Amino acid sequence: MAAATRVQSRTVNTSPWYSHQLRKFGLIAIVTLMTGIIAIAYLLPFGNMATISLKSQDQLAGSTDSPILPVSPETFTFEGEAYDVYQVPTDDGVMHEWALVKKGRQTSQFVDPSNPGAGLIDWTGSWRTLQINNTLDIHPENFPIAWDLLNFPLLFRNTLVIAITGMIGTLLSSICVAYAF
């Protein structure tokens, strides 16, 4: 009998106040989610504009499947020549970052940037399937270049004149219409 009194059944709270609070929370959550989705959709073009403004001419001229962020292939200079760095899997299952020196159909030669004195490393496989290493390559010098190429003080003055003239015209016409009412 004592064991039966210790077992308590858990019941669902069905009070009207609790269900009202739950509906209120659900409504607020849905409205917040929809507002967030609309805000993200509205701000995406501004984010795209910001990333494009930090890219170089070569990055802009890239293919349609180029990354969104301003990145450039990582290179390593070996014996006076720059080579692209790839992520190369080896037989032991480890991924290495090696520079591709000689491209081959079945066997390619790489050099380890962390140990170039070890010489060339033969790797069997198709180098075309390897993923190239990219590094973030931001170009903030685009802003002073744009400032120098375009006459921003003149553009700003013209915009200010148009805005002030439009504002004065709107105020004068609104005052006249309001006086007539």
Side-chain angles (χ1 to χ4, degrees):
M1 184 76 164
T5 57
R6 280 191 296 167
V7 175
Q8 296 176 353
S9 64
R10 293 193 172 239
T11 58
V12 177
N13 190 348
T14 58
S15 71
W17 181 83
Y18 182 73
S19 67
H20 173 72
Q21 290 295 94
L22 194 59
R23 280 193 304 271
K24 186 176 172 183
F25 173 76
L27 182 66
I28 290 172
I30 289 172
V31 168
T32 304
L33 178 67
M34 295 308 289
T35 304
I37 290 172
I38 291 170
I40 288 172
Y42 179 75
L43 294 175
L44 274 176
F46 295 108
N48 188 30
M49 177 184 62
T51 58
I52 286 175
S53 71
L54 296 171
K55 289 185 176 185
S56 68
Q57 289 290 335
D58 293 335
Q59 293 167 343
L60 287 174
S63 63
T64 56
D65 61 345
S66 62
I68 294 172
L69 295 176
V71 294
S72 294
E74 183 180 340
T75 58
F76 174 71
T77 305
F78 179 68
E79 295 179 351
E81 196 162 336
Y83 298 104
D84 290 335
V85 177
Y86 289 86
Q87 300 233 353
V88 183
T90 55
D91 293 335
D92 56 356
V94 178
M95 293 292 276
H96 296 279
E97 294 181 0
W98 291 343
L100 179 59
V101 176
K102 185 177 179 194
K103 301 173 182 174
R105 289 186 182 207
Q106 297 297 323
T107 304
S108 302
Q109 291 184 330
F110 291 86
V111 66
D112 188 1
S114 62
N115 187 11
L120 296 177
I121 303 166
D122 288 333
W123 180 77
T124 304
S126 176
W127 65 271
R128 295 176 195 272
T129 61
L130 299 176
Q131 183 179 0
I132 194 164
N133 265 11
N134 289 323
T135 57
L136 195 60
D137 190 16
I138 296 175
H139 293 276
E141 69 271 5
N142 291 343
F143 296 105
I145 291 171
W147 185 271
D148 292 339
L149 289 177
L150 298 173
N151 191 358
F152 272 109
L154 176 66
L155 295 175
F156 183 72
R157 188 198 68 191
N158 290 346
T159 302
L160 198 63
V161 166
I162 290 171
I164 289 174
T165 304
M167 183 181 63
I168 290 173
T170 301
L171 283 173
L172 289 176
S173 63
S174 297
I175 289 171
C176 293
V177 169
Y179 182 73
F181 281 136

